[in-house]
PDB file of all heavy atoms in Angstrom:
ATOM      1  N   ASP A  17       6.003  -0.577  -0.158  1.00 93.00           N
ATOM      2  CA  ASP A  17       7.060   0.434  -0.284  1.00 93.00           C
ATOM      3  C   ASP A  17       7.536   0.525  -1.735  1.00 93.00           C
ATOM      4  O   ASP A  17       8.727   0.563  -2.015  1.00 93.00           O
ATOM      5  CB  ASP A  17       8.231   0.083   0.645  1.00 93.00           C
ATOM      6  CG  ASP A  17       9.231   1.220   0.794  1.00 93.00           C
ATOM      7  OD1 ASP A  17       8.855   2.383   0.544  1.00 93.00           O
ATOM      8  OD2 ASP A  17      10.384   0.945   1.161  1.00 93.00           O
ATOM      9  N   GLY A  18       6.558   0.534  -2.662  1.00 87.00           N
ATOM     10  CA  GLY A  18       6.896   0.668  -4.074  1.00 87.00           C
ATOM     11  C   GLY A  18       6.916   2.132  -4.481  1.00 87.00           C
ATOM     12  O   GLY A  18       7.459   2.974  -3.760  1.00 87.00           O
ATOM     13  N   LEU A  19       6.310   2.467  -5.608  1.00 83.00           N
ATOM     14  CA  LEU A  19       6.177   3.871  -5.988  1.00 83.00           C
ATOM     15  C   LEU A  19       5.175   4.541  -5.054  1.00 83.00           C
ATOM     16  O   LEU A  19       4.230   3.912  -4.571  1.00 83.00           O
ATOM     17  CB  LEU A  19       5.729   3.998  -7.444  1.00 83.00           C
ATOM     18  CG  LEU A  19       6.724   3.454  -8.481  1.00 83.00           C
ATOM     19  CD1 LEU A  19       6.184   3.657  -9.891  1.00 83.00           C
ATOM     20  CD2 LEU A  19       8.098   4.090  -8.335  1.00 83.00           C
ATOM     21  N   HIS A  20       5.354   5.850  -4.818  1.00 81.00           N
ATOM     22  CA  HIS A  20       4.684   6.493  -3.702  1.00 81.00           C
ATOM     23  C   HIS A  20       3.602   7.496  -4.086  1.00 81.00           C
ATOM     24  O   HIS A  20       3.335   8.445  -3.344  1.00 81.00           O
ATOM     25  CB  HIS A  20       5.728   7.156  -2.798  1.00 81.00           C
ATOM     26  CG  HIS A  20       6.651   6.172  -2.167  1.00 81.00           C
ATOM     27  ND1 HIS A  20       7.905   5.898  -2.660  1.00 81.00           N
ATOM     28  CD2 HIS A  20       6.488   5.366  -1.097  1.00 81.00           C
ATOM     29  CE1 HIS A  20       8.491   4.978  -1.907  1.00 81.00           C
ATOM     30  NE2 HIS A  20       7.646   4.642  -0.954  1.00 81.00           N
ATOM     31  N   ASP A  21       2.966   7.291  -5.220  1.00 90.00           N
ATOM     32  CA  ASP A  21       1.783   8.078  -5.572  1.00 90.00           C
ATOM     33  C   ASP A  21       0.530   7.271  -5.226  1.00 90.00           C
ATOM     34  O   ASP A  21       0.593   6.050  -5.024  1.00 90.00           O
ATOM     35  CB  ASP A  21       1.798   8.420  -7.063  1.00 90.00           C
ATOM     36  CG  ASP A  21       1.928   7.179  -7.924  1.00 90.00           C
ATOM     37  OD1 ASP A  21       3.073   6.699  -8.106  1.00 90.00           O
ATOM     38  OD2 ASP A  21       0.903   6.654  -8.396  1.00 90.00           O
ATOM     39  N   ARG A  22      -0.597   7.948  -5.143  1.00 92.00           N
ATOM     40  CA  ARG A  22      -1.851   7.319  -4.697  1.00 92.00           C
ATOM     41  C   ARG A  22      -2.220   6.129  -5.580  1.00 92.00           C
ATOM     42  O   ARG A  22      -2.581   5.043  -5.089  1.00 92.00           O
ATOM     43  CB  ARG A  22      -2.977   8.356  -4.688  1.00 92.00           C
ATOM     44  CG  ARG A  22      -4.394   7.807  -4.479  1.00 92.00           C
ATOM     45  CD  ARG A  22      -4.612   7.312  -3.075  1.00 92.00           C
ATOM     46  NE  ARG A  22      -5.921   6.691  -2.895  1.00 92.00           N
ATOM     47  CZ  ARG A  22      -6.960   7.297  -2.336  1.00 92.00           C
ATOM     48  NH1 ARG A  22      -6.867   8.548  -1.917  1.00 92.00           N
ATOM     49  NH2 ARG A  22      -8.106   6.655  -2.176  1.00 92.00           N
ATOM     50  N   GLU A  23      -2.124   6.281  -6.891  1.00 92.00           N
ATOM     51  CA  GLU A  23      -2.546   5.209  -7.796  1.00 92.00           C
ATOM     52  C   GLU A  23      -1.727   3.946  -7.563  1.00 92.00           C
ATOM     53  O   GLU A  23      -2.267   2.842  -7.477  1.00 92.00           O
ATOM     54  CB  GLU A  23      -2.407   5.654  -9.251  1.00 92.00           C
ATOM     55  CG  GLU A  23      -2.794   4.560 -10.247  1.00 92.00           C
ATOM     56  CD  GLU A  23      -2.624   4.987 -11.693  1.00 92.00           C
ATOM     57  OE1 GLU A  23      -2.187   6.132 -11.930  1.00 92.00           O
ATOM     58  OE2 GLU A  23      -2.916   4.170 -12.585  1.00 92.00           O
ATOM     59  N   ASN A  24      -0.415   4.102  -7.469  1.00 91.00           N
ATOM     60  CA  ASN A  24       0.430   2.917  -7.333  1.00 91.00           C
ATOM     61  C   ASN A  24       0.348   2.291  -5.952  1.00 91.00           C
ATOM     62  O   ASN A  24       0.369   1.062  -5.827  1.00 91.00           O
ATOM     63  CB  ASN A  24       1.873   3.263  -7.679  1.00 91.00           C
ATOM     64  CG  ASN A  24       2.121   3.228  -9.176  1.00 91.00           C
ATOM     65  OD1 ASN A  24       2.077   2.175  -9.804  1.00 91.00           O
ATOM     66  ND2 ASN A  24       2.344   4.392  -9.762  1.00 91.00           N
ATOM     67  N   VAL A  25       0.259   3.100  -4.908  1.00 95.00           N
ATOM     68  CA  VAL A  25       0.111   2.544  -3.558  1.00 95.00           C
ATOM     69  C   VAL A  25      -1.180   1.751  -3.456  1.00 95.00           C
ATOM     70  O   VAL A  25      -1.214   0.637  -2.919  1.00 95.00           O
ATOM     71  CB  VAL A  25       0.161   3.663  -2.498  1.00 95.00           C
ATOM     72  CG1 VAL A  25      -0.194   3.120  -1.120  1.00 95.00           C
ATOM     73  CG2 VAL A  25       1.541   4.299  -2.460  1.00 95.00           C
ATOM     74  N   GLU A  26      -2.257   2.317  -3.979  1.00 95.00           N
ATOM     75  CA  GLU A  26      -3.534   1.613  -3.923  1.00 95.00           C
ATOM     76  C   GLU A  26      -3.494   0.339  -4.756  1.00 95.00           C
ATOM     77  O   GLU A  26      -3.994  -0.713  -4.339  1.00 95.00           O
ATOM     78  CB  GLU A  26      -4.675   2.521  -4.391  1.00 95.00           C
ATOM     79  CG  GLU A  26      -6.024   1.842  -4.324  1.00 95.00           C
ATOM     80  CD  GLU A  26      -7.192   2.812  -4.315  1.00 95.00           C
ATOM     81  OE1 GLU A  26      -6.984   4.027  -4.500  1.00 95.00           O
ATOM     82  OE2 GLU A  26      -8.329   2.337  -4.091  1.00 95.00           O
ATOM     83  N   ARG A  27      -2.889   0.413  -5.921  1.00 95.00           N
ATOM     84  CA  ARG A  27      -2.795  -0.770  -6.777  1.00 95.00           C
ATOM     85  C   ARG A  27      -1.974  -1.874  -6.111  1.00 95.00           C
ATOM     86  O   ARG A  27      -2.328  -3.054  -6.170  1.00 95.00           O
ATOM     87  CB  ARG A  27      -2.182  -0.369  -8.121  1.00 95.00           C
ATOM     88  CG  ARG A  27      -2.194  -1.449  -9.165  1.00 95.00           C
ATOM     89  CD  ARG A  27      -2.063  -0.877 -10.560  1.00 95.00           C
ATOM     90  NE  ARG A  27      -0.935   0.038 -10.716  1.00 95.00           N
ATOM     91  CZ  ARG A  27      -0.616   0.622 -11.866  1.00 95.00           C
ATOM     92  NH1 ARG A  27      -1.359   0.385 -12.963  1.00 95.00           N
ATOM     93  NH2 ARG A  27       0.407   1.436 -11.947  1.00 95.00           N
ATOM     94  N   ASP A  28      -0.875  -1.486  -5.459  1.00 96.00           N
ATOM     95  CA  ASP A  28      -0.062  -2.457  -4.729  1.00 96.00           C
ATOM     96  C   ASP A  28      -0.883  -3.166  -3.654  1.00 96.00           C
ATOM     97  O   ASP A  28      -0.879  -4.396  -3.537  1.00 96.00           O
ATOM     98  CB  ASP A  28       1.132  -1.766  -4.050  1.00 96.00           C
ATOM     99  CG  ASP A  28       2.177  -1.270  -5.029  1.00 96.00           C
ATOM    100  OD1 ASP A  28       2.192  -1.728  -6.188  1.00 96.00           O
ATOM    101  OD2 ASP A  28       2.991  -0.410  -4.632  1.00 96.00           O
ATOM    102  N   PHE A  29      -1.588  -2.367  -2.854  1.00 97.00           N
ATOM    103  CA  PHE A  29      -2.360  -2.921  -1.746  1.00 97.00           C
ATOM    104  C   PHE A  29      -3.531  -3.771  -2.241  1.00 97.00           C
ATOM    105  O   PHE A  29      -3.737  -4.893  -1.765  1.00 97.00           O
ATOM    106  CB  PHE A  29      -2.878  -1.788  -0.864  1.00 97.00           C
ATOM    107  CG  PHE A  29      -3.755  -2.258   0.264  1.00 97.00           C
ATOM    108  CD1 PHE A  29      -3.194  -2.782   1.418  1.00 97.00           C
ATOM    109  CD2 PHE A  29      -5.141  -2.162   0.172  1.00 97.00           C
ATOM    110  CE1 PHE A  29      -4.007  -3.221   2.460  1.00 97.00           C
ATOM    111  CE2 PHE A  29      -5.948  -2.599   1.211  1.00 97.00           C
ATOM    112  CZ  PHE A  29      -5.383  -3.130   2.359  1.00 97.00           C
ATOM    113  N   ARG A  30      -4.294  -3.258  -3.183  1.00 97.00           N
ATOM    114  CA  ARG A  30      -5.511  -3.957  -3.623  1.00 97.00           C
ATOM    115  C   ARG A  30      -5.198  -5.302  -4.257  1.00 97.00           C
ATOM    116  O   ARG A  30      -6.007  -6.246  -4.151  1.00 97.00           O
ATOM    117  CB  ARG A  30      -6.288  -3.093  -4.617  1.00 97.00           C
ATOM    118  CG  ARG A  30      -6.803  -1.775  -4.072  1.00 97.00           C
ATOM    119  CD  ARG A  30      -7.757  -1.941  -2.928  1.00 97.00           C
ATOM    120  NE  ARG A  30      -8.318  -0.642  -2.519  1.00 97.00           N
ATOM    121  CZ  ARG A  30      -8.919  -0.426  -1.356  1.00 97.00           C
ATOM    122  NH1 ARG A  30      -9.057  -1.402  -0.471  1.00 97.00           N
ATOM    123  NH2 ARG A  30      -9.382   0.779  -1.053  1.00 97.00           N
ATOM    124  N   HIS A  31      -4.054  -5.416  -4.918  1.00 97.00           N
ATOM    125  CA  HIS A  31      -3.725  -6.684  -5.567  1.00 97.00           C
ATOM    126  C   HIS A  31      -3.583  -7.810  -4.541  1.00 97.00           C
ATOM    127  O   HIS A  31      -3.954  -8.954  -4.814  1.00 97.00           O
ATOM    128  CB  HIS A  31      -2.438  -6.538  -6.376  1.00 97.00           C
ATOM    129  CG  HIS A  31      -2.100  -7.755  -7.182  1.00 97.00           C
ATOM    130  ND1 HIS A  31      -2.773  -8.093  -8.331  1.00 97.00           N
ATOM    131  CD2 HIS A  31      -1.167  -8.733  -6.993  1.00 97.00           C
ATOM    132  CE1 HIS A  31      -2.273  -9.211  -8.828  1.00 97.00           C
ATOM    133  NE2 HIS A  31      -1.288  -9.620  -8.031  1.00 97.00           N
ATOM    134  N   PHE A  32      -3.042  -7.485  -3.367  1.00 98.00           N
ATOM    135  CA  PHE A  32      -2.810  -8.511  -2.357  1.00 98.00           C
ATOM    136  C   PHE A  32      -3.848  -8.507  -1.237  1.00 98.00           C
ATOM    137  O   PHE A  32      -3.886  -9.438  -0.427  1.00 98.00           O
ATOM    138  CB  PHE A  32      -1.407  -8.329  -1.758  1.00 98.00           C
ATOM    139  CG  PHE A  32      -0.305  -8.652  -2.729  1.00 98.00           C
ATOM    140  CD1 PHE A  32       0.316  -7.649  -3.455  1.00 98.00           C
ATOM    141  CD2 PHE A  32       0.093  -9.961  -2.928  1.00 98.00           C
ATOM    142  CE1 PHE A  32       1.320  -7.946  -4.363  1.00 98.00           C
ATOM    143  CE2 PHE A  32       1.101 -10.275  -3.829  1.00 98.00           C
ATOM    144  CZ  PHE A  32       1.723  -9.264  -4.551  1.00 98.00           C
ATOM    145  N   GLU A  33      -4.690  -7.503  -1.193  1.00 97.00           N
ATOM    146  CA  GLU A  33      -5.685  -7.388  -0.126  1.00 97.00           C
ATOM    147  C   GLU A  33      -6.545  -8.634   0.048  1.00 97.00           C
ATOM    148  O   GLU A  33      -6.810  -9.049   1.193  1.00 97.00           O
ATOM    149  CB  GLU A  33      -6.574  -6.165  -0.367  1.00 97.00           C
ATOM    150  CG  GLU A  33      -7.613  -5.942   0.705  1.00 97.00           C
ATOM    151  CD  GLU A  33      -8.543  -4.780   0.378  1.00 97.00           C
ATOM    152  OE1 GLU A  33      -8.564  -4.326  -0.781  1.00 97.00           O
ATOM    153  OE2 GLU A  33      -9.253  -4.332   1.303  1.00 97.00           O
ATOM    154  N   PRO A  34      -7.026  -9.272  -1.036  1.00 97.00           N
ATOM    155  CA  PRO A  34      -7.904 -10.439  -0.841  1.00 97.00           C
ATOM    156  C   PRO A  34      -7.238 -11.593  -0.100  1.00 97.00           C
ATOM    157  O   PRO A  34      -7.942 -12.487   0.399  1.00 97.00           O
ATOM    158  CB  PRO A  34      -8.261 -10.847  -2.280  1.00 97.00           C
ATOM    159  CG  PRO A  34      -8.058  -9.621  -3.096  1.00 97.00           C
ATOM    160  CD  PRO A  34      -6.899  -8.929  -2.459  1.00 97.00           C
ATOM    161  N   TYR A  35      -5.932 -11.589  -0.011  1.00 98.00           N
ATOM    162  CA  TYR A  35      -5.203 -12.707   0.596  1.00 98.00           C
ATOM    163  C   TYR A  35      -4.743 -12.413   2.020  1.00 98.00           C
ATOM    164  O   TYR A  35      -4.123 -13.271   2.662  1.00 98.00           O
ATOM    165  CB  TYR A  35      -3.994 -13.059  -0.278  1.00 98.00           C
ATOM    166  CG  TYR A  35      -4.384 -13.344  -1.702  1.00 98.00           C
ATOM    167  CD1 TYR A  35      -4.275 -12.342  -2.680  1.00 98.00           C
ATOM    168  CD2 TYR A  35      -4.913 -14.570  -2.075  1.00 98.00           C
ATOM    169  CE1 TYR A  35      -4.658 -12.586  -3.988  1.00 98.00           C
ATOM    170  CE2 TYR A  35      -5.314 -14.822  -3.381  1.00 98.00           C
ATOM    171  CZ  TYR A  35      -5.179 -13.826  -4.336  1.00 98.00           C
ATOM    172  OH  TYR A  35      -5.568 -14.059  -5.629  1.00 98.00           O
ATOM    173  N   LEU A  36      -5.046 -11.215   2.523  1.00 98.00           N
ATOM    174  CA  LEU A  36      -4.653 -10.869   3.883  1.00 98.00           C
ATOM    175  C   LEU A  36      -5.480 -11.657   4.895  1.00 98.00           C
ATOM    176  O   LEU A  36      -6.708 -11.663   4.839  1.00 98.00           O
ATOM    177  CB  LEU A  36      -4.841  -9.375   4.124  1.00 98.00           C
ATOM    178  CG  LEU A  36      -3.938  -8.434   3.329  1.00 98.00           C
ATOM    179  CD1 LEU A  36      -4.388  -6.979   3.518  1.00 98.00           C
ATOM    180  CD2 LEU A  36      -2.483  -8.593   3.751  1.00 98.00           C
ATOM    181  N   LEU A  37      -4.803 -12.308   5.828  1.00 97.00           N
ATOM    182  CA  LEU A  37      -5.496 -12.995   6.901  1.00 97.00           C
ATOM    183  C   LEU A  37      -6.180 -11.980   7.823  1.00 97.00           C
ATOM    184  O   LEU A  37      -5.781 -10.815   7.861  1.00 97.00           O
ATOM    185  CB  LEU A  37      -4.501 -13.847   7.684  1.00 97.00           C
ATOM    186  CG  LEU A  37      -3.973 -15.066   6.919  1.00 97.00           C
ATOM    187  CD1 LEU A  37      -2.754 -15.655   7.623  1.00 97.00           C
ATOM    188  CD2 LEU A  37      -5.057 -16.120   6.756  1.00 97.00           C
ATOM    189  N   PRO A  38      -7.192 -12.390   8.561  1.00 95.00           N
ATOM    190  CA  PRO A  38      -7.913 -11.425   9.414  1.00 95.00           C
ATOM    191  C   PRO A  38      -7.021 -10.676  10.389  1.00 95.00           C
ATOM    192  O   PRO A  38      -7.291  -9.514  10.706  1.00 95.00           O
ATOM    193  CB  PRO A  38      -8.929 -12.311  10.145  1.00 95.00           C
ATOM    194  CG  PRO A  38      -9.168 -13.462   9.221  1.00 95.00           C
ATOM    195  CD  PRO A  38      -7.840 -13.717   8.557  1.00 95.00           C
ATOM    196  N   ASP A  39      -5.963 -11.322  10.874  1.00 95.00           N
ATOM    197  CA  ASP A  39      -5.063 -10.660  11.824  1.00 95.00           C
ATOM    198  C   ASP A  39      -3.774 -10.189  11.171  1.00 95.00           C
ATOM    199  O   ASP A  39      -2.776  -9.929  11.860  1.00 95.00           O
ATOM    200  CB  ASP A  39      -4.745 -11.594  12.993  1.00 95.00           C
ATOM    201  CG  ASP A  39      -4.028 -12.868  12.557  1.00 95.00           C
ATOM    202  OD1 ASP A  39      -4.010 -13.155  11.333  1.00 95.00           O
ATOM    203  OD2 ASP A  39      -3.477 -13.579  13.426  1.00 95.00           O
ATOM    204  N   ALA A  40      -3.765 -10.047   9.852  1.00 97.00           N
ATOM    205  CA  ALA A  40      -2.552  -9.649   9.138  1.00 97.00           C
ATOM    206  C   ALA A  40      -2.090  -8.258   9.547  1.00 97.00           C
ATOM    207  O   ALA A  40      -2.888  -7.383   9.882  1.00 97.00           O
ATOM    208  CB  ALA A  40      -2.779  -9.692   7.629  1.00 97.00           C
ATOM    209  N   VAL A  41      -0.786  -8.067   9.496  1.00 98.00           N
ATOM    210  CA  VAL A  41      -0.164  -6.772   9.728  1.00 98.00           C
ATOM    211  C   VAL A  41       0.143  -6.141   8.368  1.00 98.00           C
ATOM    212  O   VAL A  41       0.681  -6.815   7.475  1.00 98.00           O
ATOM    213  CB  VAL A  41       1.141  -6.933  10.537  1.00 98.00           C
ATOM    214  CG1 VAL A  41       1.860  -5.598  10.659  1.00 98.00           C
ATOM    215  CG2 VAL A  41       0.849  -7.513  11.903  1.00 98.00           C
ATOM    216  N   VAL A  42      -0.192  -4.861   8.199  1.00 98.00           N
ATOM    217  CA  VAL A  42       0.103  -4.143   6.961  1.00 98.00           C
ATOM    218  C   VAL A  42       0.895  -2.891   7.318  1.00 98.00           C
ATOM    219  O   VAL A  42       0.515  -2.143   8.221  1.00 98.00           O
ATOM    220  CB  VAL A  42      -1.186  -3.756   6.201  1.00 98.00           C
ATOM    221  CG1 VAL A  42      -0.841  -3.000   4.921  1.00 98.00           C
ATOM    222  CG2 VAL A  42      -2.008  -5.008   5.877  1.00 98.00           C
ATOM    223  N   LEU A  43       2.000  -2.686   6.605  1.00 98.00           N
ATOM    224  CA  LEU A  43       2.834  -1.507   6.840  1.00 98.00           C
ATOM    225  C   LEU A  43       3.021  -0.734   5.549  1.00 98.00           C
ATOM    226  O   LEU A  43       3.137  -1.323   4.473  1.00 98.00           O
ATOM    227  CB  LEU A  43       4.196  -1.908   7.401  1.00 98.00           C
ATOM    228  CG  LEU A  43       4.150  -2.634   8.741  1.00 98.00           C
ATOM    229  CD1 LEU A  43       4.524  -4.093   8.553  1.00 98.00           C
ATOM    230  CD2 LEU A  43       5.056  -1.978   9.768  1.00 98.00           C
ATOM    231  N   PHE A  44       3.049   0.595   5.689  1.00 98.00           N
ATOM    232  CA  PHE A  44       3.307   1.488   4.567  1.00 98.00           C
ATOM    233  C   PHE A  44       4.501   2.367   4.919  1.00 98.00           C
ATOM    234  O   PHE A  44       4.525   2.985   5.987  1.00 98.00           O
ATOM    235  CB  PHE A  44       2.098   2.380   4.286  1.00 98.00           C
ATOM    236  CG  PHE A  44       0.889   1.645   3.788  1.00 98.00           C
ATOM    237  CD1 PHE A  44      -0.017   1.083   4.677  1.00 98.00           C
ATOM    238  CD2 PHE A  44       0.647   1.524   2.421  1.00 98.00           C
ATOM    239  CE1 PHE A  44      -1.137   0.413   4.229  1.00 98.00           C
ATOM    240  CE2 PHE A  44      -0.476   0.855   1.953  1.00 98.00           C
ATOM    241  CZ  PHE A  44      -1.367   0.291   2.862  1.00 98.00           C
ATOM    242  N   HIS A  45       5.470   2.426   4.010  1.00 96.00           N
ATOM    243  CA  HIS A  45       6.595   3.337   4.195  1.00 96.00           C
ATOM    244  C   HIS A  45       6.291   4.656   3.474  1.00 96.00           C
ATOM    245  O   HIS A  45       5.501   4.691   2.534  1.00 96.00           O
ATOM    246  CB  HIS A  45       7.873   2.716   3.640  1.00 96.00           C
ATOM    247  CG  HIS A  45       9.114   3.409   4.080  1.00 96.00           C
ATOM    248  ND1 HIS A  45      10.243   3.502   3.300  1.00 96.00           N
ATOM    249  CD2 HIS A  45       9.418   4.066   5.239  1.00 96.00           C
ATOM    250  CE1 HIS A  45      11.181   4.170   3.952  1.00 96.00           C
ATOM    251  NE2 HIS A  45      10.704   4.519   5.138  1.00 96.00           N
ATOM    252  N   ASP A  46       6.925   5.723   3.939  1.00 94.00           N
ATOM    253  CA  ASP A  46       6.762   7.067   3.376  1.00 94.00           C
ATOM    254  C   ASP A  46       5.349   7.609   3.537  1.00 94.00           C
ATOM    255  O   ASP A  46       4.815   8.286   2.660  1.00 94.00           O
ATOM    256  CB  ASP A  46       7.207   7.103   1.906  1.00 94.00           C
ATOM    257  CG  ASP A  46       8.714   6.928   1.795  1.00 94.00           C
ATOM    258  OD1 ASP A  46       9.463   7.736   2.369  1.00 94.00           O
ATOM    259  OD2 ASP A  46       9.152   5.962   1.152  1.00 94.00           O
ATOM    260  N   TYR A  47       4.750   7.287   4.687  1.00 96.00           N
ATOM    261  CA  TYR A  47       3.497   7.920   5.091  1.00 96.00           C
ATOM    262  C   TYR A  47       3.874   9.276   5.694  1.00 96.00           C
ATOM    263  O   TYR A  47       4.091   9.425   6.904  1.00 96.00           O
ATOM    264  CB  TYR A  47       2.786   7.024   6.109  1.00 96.00           C
ATOM    265  CG  TYR A  47       1.521   7.616   6.695  1.00 96.00           C
ATOM    266  CD1 TYR A  47       0.332   7.591   5.976  1.00 96.00           C
ATOM    267  CD2 TYR A  47       1.519   8.183   7.963  1.00 96.00           C
ATOM    268  CE1 TYR A  47      -0.836   8.127   6.520  1.00 96.00           C
ATOM    269  CE2 TYR A  47       0.367   8.719   8.518  1.00 96.00           C
ATOM    270  CZ  TYR A  47      -0.810   8.696   7.783  1.00 96.00           C
ATOM    271  OH  TYR A  47      -1.963   9.229   8.327  1.00 96.00           O
ATOM    272  N   ALA A  48       4.013  10.262   4.818  1.00 94.00           N
ATOM    273  CA  ALA A  48       4.503  11.584   5.224  1.00 94.00           C
ATOM    274  C   ALA A  48       4.089  12.609   4.181  1.00 94.00           C
ATOM    275  O   ALA A  48       3.748  12.272   3.042  1.00 94.00           O
ATOM    276  CB  ALA A  48       6.025  11.567   5.365  1.00 94.00           C
ATOM    277  N   GLY A  49       4.144  13.881   4.570  1.00 92.00           N
ATOM    278  CA  GLY A  49       3.669  14.962   3.718  1.00 92.00           C
ATOM    279  C   GLY A  49       4.368  15.068   2.383  1.00 92.00           C
ATOM    280  O   GLY A  49       3.786  15.582   1.415  1.00 92.00           O
ATOM    281  N   TYR A  50       5.601  14.598   2.295  1.00 90.00           N
ATOM    282  CA  TYR A  50       6.310  14.687   1.016  1.00 90.00           C
ATOM    283  C   TYR A  50       5.785  13.686  -0.010  1.00 90.00           C
ATOM    284  O   TYR A  50       6.121  13.781  -1.190  1.00 90.00           O
ATOM    285  CB  TYR A  50       7.821  14.544   1.210  1.00 90.00           C
ATOM    286  CG  TYR A  50       8.271  13.356   2.040  1.00 90.00           C
ATOM    287  CD1 TYR A  50       8.357  12.079   1.494  1.00 90.00           C
ATOM    288  CD2 TYR A  50       8.623  13.518   3.370  1.00 90.00           C
ATOM    289  CE1 TYR A  50       8.766  11.002   2.243  1.00 90.00           C
ATOM    290  CE2 TYR A  50       9.044  12.446   4.134  1.00 90.00           C
ATOM    291  CZ  TYR A  50       9.119  11.188   3.573  1.00 90.00           C
ATOM    292  OH  TYR A  50       9.533  10.120   4.329  1.00 90.00           O
ATOM    293  N   TYR A  51       4.985  12.717   0.430  1.00 91.00           N
ATOM    294  CA  TYR A  51       4.298  11.809  -0.490  1.00 91.00           C
ATOM    295  C   TYR A  51       2.808  11.804  -0.130  1.00 91.00           C
ATOM    296  O   TYR A  51       2.311  10.879   0.520  1.00 91.00           O
ATOM    297  CB  TYR A  51       4.877  10.396  -0.436  1.00 91.00           C
ATOM    298  CG  TYR A  51       6.176  10.235  -1.182  1.00 91.00           C
ATOM    299  CD1 TYR A  51       7.285   9.664  -0.581  1.00 91.00           C
ATOM    300  CD2 TYR A  51       6.298  10.664  -2.509  1.00 91.00           C
ATOM    301  CE1 TYR A  51       8.485   9.518  -1.260  1.00 91.00           C
ATOM    302  CE2 TYR A  51       7.490  10.527  -3.202  1.00 91.00           C
ATOM    303  CZ  TYR A  51       8.577   9.954  -2.570  1.00 91.00           C
ATOM    304  OH  TYR A  51       9.764   9.809  -3.252  1.00 91.00           O
ATOM    305  N   PRO A  52       2.067  12.840  -0.525  1.00 93.00           N
ATOM    306  CA  PRO A  52       0.668  12.959  -0.106  1.00 93.00           C
ATOM    307  C   PRO A  52      -0.221  11.822  -0.596  1.00 93.00           C
ATOM    308  O   PRO A  52      -1.244  11.533   0.026  1.00 93.00           O
ATOM    309  CB  PRO A  52       0.231  14.305  -0.716  1.00 93.00           C
ATOM    310  CG  PRO A  52       1.211  14.585  -1.811  1.00 93.00           C
ATOM    311  CD  PRO A  52       2.501  13.979  -1.355  1.00 93.00           C
TER     312      PRO A  52
END
C-alpha cells in the first residue's frame, strides 16, 4: 500500500517476493480503476 503506480507497486512486491512462504497471503490496496 505504498505509491500506486505500476512501477512502484511492482518494485514494492518484487523486493520482498523471494521471501514469501509458499502459503503466504499477499494483499494490495487501491486495486481500482482510479489507480490503473
Side-chain angles (χ1 to χ4, degrees):
D17 192 22
L19 296 181
H20 296 98
D21 55 278
R22 170 71 184 259
E23 178 182 1
N24 277 293
V25 172
E26 181 160 7
R27 188 159 51 178
D28 290 342
F29 177 80
R30 297 299 185 197
H31 186 74
F32 291 97
E33 181 184 15
Y35 305 97
L36 294 171
L37 290 166
D39 62 346
V41 174
V42 180
L43 299 109
F44 293 86
H45 194 212
D46 291 301
Y47 175 79
Y50 50 80
Y51 282 129

